[in-house]
Amino acid sequence: MRDDLLKQARRVVVKIGSSLVASRESGLRPDRIDRLAEDISAVKDGGRELLLVSSGAIVSGIQKLGLKAYPKSLPVKQAAAAVGQSRLMWAYEKAFERLGRKVAQILLTHQDLADRRRFMNARHTLSTLIEFGVIPIINENDTVAVDEIRFGDNDTLAGNVAHLVDADLLVILSDVDGLFTDDPRRNASATLVPLVSEITKDIERRAGLSGSFEGTGGMASKIQTAKKVAEYGIPTLILNGEKPGLLPAIFEGLNAGTFILPRGRRLTSRKHWIAFTLRTKGKVTLDDGAVEALVRRGKSLLPSGIIEVSGDFGPGDAISCTDRHGKEFAKGLVNFSSETLAKIKGLKTSEIQRTIGSQEYEEVIHRDNLVIL
Ligand code: GLU
């Protein structure tokens, strides 16, 4: 199962921990970033889509500001993050440029994903970057994030990103080999746990024992993140990021790290949320061609297939799709308001531009936001 899931993983989120890319004493480690970039580039050469979540802003900022210790005060932490983030990105920019690859910086707060419209917007931006072959490098927007809107640590952020982009795999690169049966620094007989099929209380306890090797989260937050993404059907691999060449070797069949299996069928929580939690604010009636395109051919909904619009809704709201006989067969998050949709229903893309000007989206409901019932 592990081998198949790794082989099939097309979209991969890789989380890079602070201690891999920076130390408090000497600041950022561009040599390490160069090597990580080579490994990531090699994985991308294999035809996979890569997104990075990288920590290290605060730690490299501490050194840049000449601070003696990890700051306790929030404004100082935020100042360190601000100076550190640009240095961190600059190192990634240079490392990937050398390999002929483009990167982009994305800074997120939890609020950005808790709000449906912003969630969708972030999703669209990330998909567009991936289509352009760019490697998005994501971090928490530490300079503005206060407690209520924080992810807290980058393991949690990486889990949210994996869900945001519907990843096939989350890789957490750390400075340890994976999850151990006990703390390997204190107990010489502690062994690596190569495969976790379910995160039980016992696994959580062992993660606690492994203690905090690095950064904010430690092993406990990695296991909690793996538990959450497993529920969305995404497997997690916790791997040592200090060993050059290990990441690409994993995709060639090497067995290393701790692999956590996903649970159940792969329906993202969001699709579940669209299908079972959200109340619809309106509906669109579709012609036979559009029904067929959505149900059988897995297409997005375009304005040309809409016969009628009813209800009062805005972009990001849930609506239902019915056939000509009024039977509801799908639900999705809509990109246009009911008012706009009433103007463009039945029109082709070229006619839409003439009617309401150029639009950010072509699709009324993107496939990713559509659930067939
Ligand atoms: N966002 C923080 C940084 O870049 C890292 C948080 C963490 O290590 O989990 O410094």
Side-chain angles (χ1 to χ4, degrees):
M1 181 119 174
R2 172 195 149 113
D3 288 352
D4 288 344
L5 287 168
L6 284 170
K7 214 177 288 160
Q8 287 157 14
R10 198 175 56 91
R11 183 170 287 187
V12 183
V13 172
V14 179
K15 187 259 173 174
I16 299 173
S18 284
S19 70
L20 291 177
V21 294
S23 79
R24 227 174 287 171
E25 302 73 41
S26 45
L28 199 67
R29 303 183 52 187
D31 55 319
R32 174 58 65 64
I33 291 183
D34 283 347
R35 258 182 291 133
L36 286 167
E38 282 160 18
D39 281 356
I40 284 151
S41 194
V43 175
K44 206 162 157 37
D45 283 340
R48 292 170 214 274
E49 299 169 347
L50 267 295
L51 296 100
L52 308 188
V53 173
S54 180
S55 309
I58 297 178
V59 178
S60 47
I62 287 172
Q63 193 262 351
K64 196 167 163 186
L65 289 177
L67 303 176
K68 294 273 174 300
Y70 199 91
K72 285 204 183 72
S73 110
L74 186 61
V76 179
K77 253 189 247 175
Q78 293 181 316
V83 293
Q85 179 65 25
S86 66
R87 184 170 271 197
L88 182 67
M89 267 320 286
W90 177 231
Y92 277 114
E93 186 78 54
K94 277 195 296 190
F96 279 106
E97 193 172 56
R98 217 166 38 90
L99 303 166
R101 299 215 180 268
K102 299 186 186 85
V103 298
Q105 168 182 275
I106 317 258
L107 299 177
L108 293 173
T109 61
H110 185 262
Q111 215 173 23
D112 298 324
L113 304 189
D115 179 283
R116 234 171 34 244
R117 286 177 207 192
R118 288 162 77 169
F119 181 102
M120 280 175 67
N121 203 29
R123 190 181 170 93
H124 282 299
T125 307
L126 288 169
S127 321
T128 307
L129 286 168
I130 290 168
E131 276 164 34
F132 275 106
V134 174
I135 301 173
I137 303 181
I138 301 149
N139 197 356
E140 176 146 21
N141 195 354
D142 292 307
T143 51
V144 299
V146 287
D147 276 350
E148 310 82 79
I149 61 166
R150 274 182 72 81
F151 290 103
D153 64 72
N154 274 11
D155 295 322
T156 307
L157 170 62
N160 279 279
V161 169
H163 173 209
L164 174 69
V165 301
D166 260 336
D168 302 305
L169 173 70
L170 169 64
V171 179
I172 301 182
L173 293 181
S174 171
D175 54 4
V176 288
D177 289 335
L179 174 72
F180 282 84
T181 51
D182 196 359
D183 185 348
R185 293 166 303 180
R186 271 179 235 134
N187 180 353
S189 61
T191 53
L192 183 79
V193 180
L195 188 76
V196 174
S197 49
E198 192 187 341
I199 295 175
T200 56
K201 284 263 169 294
D202 181 54
I203 294 287
E204 286 174 336
R205 187 183 59 79
R206 289 180 198 279
L209 291 177
S210 297
S212 179
F213 288 75
E214 52 108 346
T216 322
M219 191 52 71
S221 83
K222 292 174 184 32
I223 291 296
Q224 283 315 311
T225 293
K227 191 174 174 181
K228 273 187 235 155
V229 301
E231 297 288 341
Y232 310 142
I234 305 172
T236 300
L237 176 67
I238 302 171
L239 194 67
N240 195 325
E242 287 180 336
K243 299 181 176 165
L246 194 60
L247 181 65
I250 288 294
F251 293 99
E252 303 295 324
L254 182 84
N255 195 354
T258 297
F259 193 79
I260 298 127
L261 293 176
R263 283 166 67 87
R265 75 167 172 148
R266 195 195 158 92
L267 180 66
T268 66
S269 76
R270 219 173 45 87
K271 286 213 170 180
H272 189 275
W273 174 71
I274 293 169
F276 303 108
T277 310
L278 280 190
R279 293 201 180 129
T280 53
K281 294 222 175 141
K283 77 174 185 201
V284 285
T285 308
L286 310 185
D287 64 24
D288 296 344
V291 174
E292 150 92 15
L294 260 53
V295 177
R296 305 226 185 287
R297 288 187 283 126
K299 300 282 185 200
S300 296
L301 175 63
L302 298 175
S304 56
I306 301 176
I307 306 171
E308 211 183 301
V309 180
S310 55
D312 183 14
F313 51 84
D317 284 335
I319 61 167
S320 65
C321 303
T322 64
D323 65 14
R324 287 190 303 132
H325 312 290
K327 183 171 178 287
E328 182 189 49
F329 68 94
K331 268 172 90 174
L333 300 182
V334 67
N335 282 332
F336 297 95
S337 69
S338 43
E339 212 182 319
T340 307
L341 216 46
K343 289 188 197 138
I344 62 172
K345 66 174 194 225
L347 300 186
K348 299 237 155 45
T349 307
S350 57
E351 298 167 324
I352 293 167
Q353 202 157 345
R354 259 180 278 132
T355 314
I356 57 165
S358 71
Q359 294 298 307
E360 271 172 79
Y361 310 117
E362 253 181 74
E363 306 90 2
V364 174
I365 301 176
H366 191 277
R367 186 69 210 171
D368 290 347
N369 296 323
L370 185 80
V371 193
I372 305 295
L373 302 171

